[in-house]
Amino acid sequence: NVPTQISVMSSVTPITENPKARHIRYRVDVEIRKPELFFLKQPDRWEKRSVEEVHEEMERTVAYWLYEFNEQNSRELGAFYNPFDPAQAKRFEEKLLPWLNGCIFGEGLHASRATFSVE
């Protein structure tokens, strides 16, 4: 009874060079690829019995790294302004997914898709 995939949300308001502030929200689809690694990585995860508890633990793990991503990349994220532009959507995924997967691989998790919107 382990959820195979969840979506984790994050947002950041970078200051752009012109100077404008854009509020960028994004969603990342994450799945447990190696359940044995996910549950053995931290002993307190052994006690997670419900789907909701596992979902919360996955979300907490990924959210931590998304905060780090926002901090390290806030200036570059200001360049994304049109989520309907296929080139921007692709560049966003190319920036986020390899970085995030490098961080969560050791947790048995994998991010497969990322989308953004601008408010």
Side-chain angles (χ1 to χ4, degrees):
N1 293 336
V2 175
T4 57
Q5 187 171 3
I6 64 165
S7 292
V8 181
M9 302 290 291
S10 188
S11 65
V12 66
T13 306
I15 304 296
T16 63
E17 296 201 13
N18 52 358
K20 286 183 189 169
R22 290 191 184 105
H23 188 71
I24 299 172
R25 296 182 57 82
Y26 57 95
R27 184 180 104 178
V28 182
D29 294 338
V30 178
E31 64 183 324
I32 296 177
R33 281 266 174 99
K34 297 184 178 183
E36 66 283 1
L37 183 56
F38 178 76
F39 287 101
L40 292 175
K41 181 71 175 182
Q42 295 182 22
D44 62 324
R45 289 181 182 164
W46 301 349
E47 303 300 319
K48 308 299 181 195
R49 299 280 188 242
S50 70
V51 171
E52 293 80 17
E53 289 175 318
V54 173
H55 176 254
E56 288 172 6
E57 187 64 26
M58 291 171 68
E59 186 171 2
R60 184 176 16 263
T61 301
V62 174
Y64 172 86
W65 290 109
L66 295 180
Y67 278 112
E68 293 295 320
F69 177 81
N70 291 343
E71 179 63 24
Q72 293 176 25
N73 297 281
S74 63
R75 182 175 294 281
E76 293 88 3
L77 291 174
F80 297 102
Y81 61 89
N82 185 352
F84 297 106
D85 178 351
Q88 285 187 41
K90 181 179 179 187
R91 280 196 326 266
F92 181 77
E93 274 196 334
E94 288 172 348
K95 180 159 199 64
L96 175 62
L97 292 181
W99 184 92
L100 180 60
N101 281 324
C103 297
I104 64 175
F105 176 79
E107 301 279 343
L109 300 173
H110 177 77
S112 58
R113 184 170 184 241
T115 58
F116 75 97
S117 63
V118 179
E119 295 177 0

